[in-house]
Amino acid sequence: MGIIRGKGIWREVMNKIVLIGRLTKDPEITIIEETGKALCKLILAVDRLFKDSNGEKQADFIPIVFWDKKAEIICEYMTKGKMISVSGRLQTGSYEASDGTKRYKAEVIVEDFQFVDSKKEVV
């Protein structure tokens, strides 16, 4: 995939996000009935670089979405607490809640990932 230039903008990197964090729970796979595609949504806890005023570590909890084969692999090999690196694009949207208020959401659609935890040696 090449980089496309247009009016001085590197279009390939306009919406690119890279995160390293830990799964907050065991992943679960869902098969979308209409398409038969596999879907795995999870929350990634990503540590901040600084501590709060009490000296406590802080983290952001970011919704992550895996599709198809990536979803299957994540559900097969990852568990709560495991560390992973993901790269993808940020996707935003909105919906109307049951109380009639407009809600907004943002999630990372994964394009690539890498397991970060090293394998433990079997003794």
Side-chain angles (χ1 to χ4, degrees):
M1 172 168 48
I3 296 175
I4 301 169
R5 288 190 195 185
K7 298 184 181 180
I9 298 172
W10 296 86
R11 292 190 181 193
E12 184 176 307
V13 293
M14 287 179 65
N15 184 359
K16 190 72 157 182
I17 188 165
V18 178
L19 300 167
I20 297 175
R22 296 190 182 276
L23 277 63
T24 60
K25 68 177 189 172
D26 288 344
E28 296 178 14
I29 200 158
T30 303
I31 304 299
I32 306 300
E33 280 187 39
E34 297 83 21
T35 63
K37 289 187 173 208
L39 168 67
C40 177
K41 289 186 173 190
L42 55 87
I43 303 295
L44 198 63
V46 179
D47 288 338
R48 293 183 180 173
L49 294 176
F50 54 88
K51 296 179 179 179
D52 67 12
S53 58
N54 297 325
E56 306 264 336
K57 280 176 58 173
Q58 297 292 303
D60 293 299
F61 297 88
I62 302 171
I64 308 292
V65 178
F66 296 88
W67 284 100
D68 300 324
K69 187 67 176 172
K70 293 176 185 84
E72 294 171 13
I73 292 168
I74 291 302
C75 288
E76 184 174 345
Y77 295 104
M78 295 297 289
T79 56
K80 177 181 178 177
K82 294 282 188 178
M83 187 173 280
I84 190 170
S85 167
V86 298
S87 65
R89 62 184 170 80
L90 184 64
Q91 181 172 294
T92 61
S94 63
Y95 61 95
E96 187 174 315
S98 58
D99 64 0
T101 60
K102 191 170 189 176
R103 304 280 172 94
Y104 297 91
K105 68 176 186 168
E107 54 194 10
V108 174
I109 309 301
V110 174
E111 295 167 354
D112 194 21
F113 66 90
Q114 223 173 12
F115 300 131
V116 176
D117 284 327
S118 61
K119 292 182 180 180
K120 293 183 181 178
E121 290 183 27
V122 178
V123 181

